[in-house]
């Protein structure tokens, strides 16, 4: 699974879905759909994959924090707000490899059994938002998103949400409040977002 994140970039227009597919793009997503969520989480945990932010929190452990017995819907939220001054890792990923972002979100959603995912992007990132929207639509057109993805029986929709340019919305709970249409203001914790996130469901 970690090969998705280590694959070298394609030549020419790396934002094109054809270029991404030509270097093995979405193979990780296809493989994940045959494995089952628990197996995906174990493989990612065993790989040692960590978040790229300052905390470097283990990805598999984060996925395991989502309650398995939650009866209602689950949502995955990808934080691409990047409001911290001088930071631009999210912007670079979206600019040069948006399909890698889409594939990573898809695998993450599958791992926690979420059928709806949101990519929350900083409001000022007009150009990057357009790039990401195009990538999502291309993936949907190829059957990599939507109903019954690749005949797997798993449904997944990814939506992009542009923030209002508030610095504090880089914090996870303030981001959730903003996504719900409220004032972007941090929530008291606990409960933590893995248990009570968007619409009082695991994110």
């Amino acid at each position: 699974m970690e090969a998705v994140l280590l694959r070298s970039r394609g030549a020419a227009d790396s934002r094109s879905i054809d270029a991404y597919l030509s270097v093995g793009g979405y193979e990780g997503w296809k493989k994940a759909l045959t494995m089952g969520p628990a197996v995906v989480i174990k493989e990612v945990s065993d790989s040692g994959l960590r978040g790229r932010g300052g905390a470097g929190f283990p990805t598999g452990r984060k996925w395991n924090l989502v309650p398995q017995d939650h009866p209602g819907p689950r949502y995955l939220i990808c934080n691409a707000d990047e409001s911290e001054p001088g930071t631009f890792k999210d912007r670079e990923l979206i600019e040069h490899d948006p399909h890698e972002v889409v594939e990573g979100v898809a695998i993450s959603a599958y791992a926690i059994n979420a059928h709806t995912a949101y990519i929350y992007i900083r409001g000022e990132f007009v150009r990057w938002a357009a790039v990401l929207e195009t990538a999502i639509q291309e993936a949907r057109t190829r059957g990599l998103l939507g109903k019954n993805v690749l005949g797997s029986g798993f449904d997944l929709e990814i939506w992009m949400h542009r923030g209002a340019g508030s610095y504090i919305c880089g914090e996870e709970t303030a981001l959730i409040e903003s996504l719900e249409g409220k004032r972007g203001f941090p929530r008291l914790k606990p409960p933590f977002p893995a248990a009570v996130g968007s619409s009082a469901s695991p994110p």
Side-chain angles (χ1 to χ4, degrees), residues 11 23 28 37 51 53 59 69 72 79 81 84 127 134 162 172 178 190:
V23 294
T59 304
D69 57 351
N79 184 350
D81 183 65
E84 185 71 23
R127 186 174 108 208
T134 298
R162 289 180 60 194
E172 58 183 358
S178 174

Side-chain angles (χ1 to χ4, degrees), residues 20 28 36 51 68 93 103 106 114 121 127 134 144 146 152 181 192 194 198-200:
Y20 188 64
Q68 297 301 310
L93 283 170
E103 183 173 16
I121 191 170
R127 186 174 108 208
T134 298
L144 296 160
S152 65
F192 294 96
S198 180
S199 303

Side-chain angles (χ1 to χ4, degrees), residues 27-63:
E27 289 302 317
W29 177 217
K30 294 173 184 177
K31 179 182 176 183
L33 288 168
T34 69
M35 295 168 62
V39 180
V40 172
I41 292 176
K42 183 179 186 307
E43 186 158 338
V44 169
S45 297
D46 292 346
S47 77
L49 183 67
R50 292 174 174 266
R52 296 186 63 170
F57 197 84
T59 304
R61 191 188 305 174
K62 179 175 284 190
W63 292 349

Side-chain angles (χ1 to χ4, degrees), residues 79 81-84 120 164-178 183-187:
N79 184 350
D81 183 65
E82 200 164 57
S83 55
E84 185 71 23
Y120 186 103
S166 173
Y167 169 82
I168 195 60
C169 287
E171 193 276 334
E172 58 183 358
T173 60
L175 183 153
I176 292 170
E177 290 286 293
S178 174
R183 183 167 68 118
F185 194 80
R187 298 175 179 175

Side-chain angles (χ1 to χ4, degrees), residues 10-186:
D13 184 4
S14 59
R15 295 183 300 188
S16 160
I17 191 170
D18 290 322
Y20 188 64
L21 291 170
S22 73
V23 294
Y26 289 107
E27 289 302 317
W29 177 217
K30 294 173 184 177
K31 179 182 176 183
L33 288 168
T34 69
M35 295 168 62
V39 180
V40 172
I41 292 176
K42 183 179 186 307
E43 186 158 338
V44 169
S45 297
D46 292 346
S47 77
L49 183 67
R50 292 174 174 266
R52 296 186 63 170
F57 197 84
T59 304
R61 191 188 305 174
K62 179 175 284 190
W63 292 349
N64 266 320
L65 291 174
V66 178
Q68 297 301 310
D69 57 351
H70 179 72
R74 303 174 185 202
Y75 304 98
L76 182 123
I77 303 171
C78 172
N79 184 350
D81 183 65
E82 200 164 57
S83 55
E84 185 71 23
T87 59
F88 51 84
K89 64 176 177 58
D90 297 344
R91 197 181 334 168
E92 286 294 297
L93 283 170
I94 293 168
E95 169 74 21
H96 299 292
D97 218 345
H99 283 285
E100 192 164 56
V101 176
V102 173
E103 183 173 16
V105 168
I107 293 171
S108 301
Y110 178 73
I112 67 168
N113 198 28
H115 299 284
T116 303
Y118 297 97
I119 301 176
Y120 186 103
I121 191 170
R122 186 174 176 178
E124 294 90 337
F125 288 177
V126 177
R127 186 174 108 208
W128 295 280
V131 169
L132 200 52
E133 282 279 23
T134 298
I136 292 171
Q137 186 54 46
E138 285 180 333
R140 190 176 287 122
T141 300
R142 299 294 182 98
L144 296 160
L145 298 174
K147 294 283 187 183
N148 190 25
V149 177
L150 300 174
S152 65
F154 186 76
D155 302 336
L156 177 63
E157 289 293 349
I158 298 178
W159 306 101
M160 193 188 65
H161 181 91
R162 289 180 60 194
S166 173
Y167 169 82
I168 195 60
C169 287
E171 193 276 334
E172 58 183 358
T173 60
L175 183 153
I176 292 170
E177 290 286 293
S178 174
L179 184 65
E180 293 178 347
K182 304 171 189 173
R183 183 167 68 118
F185 194 80

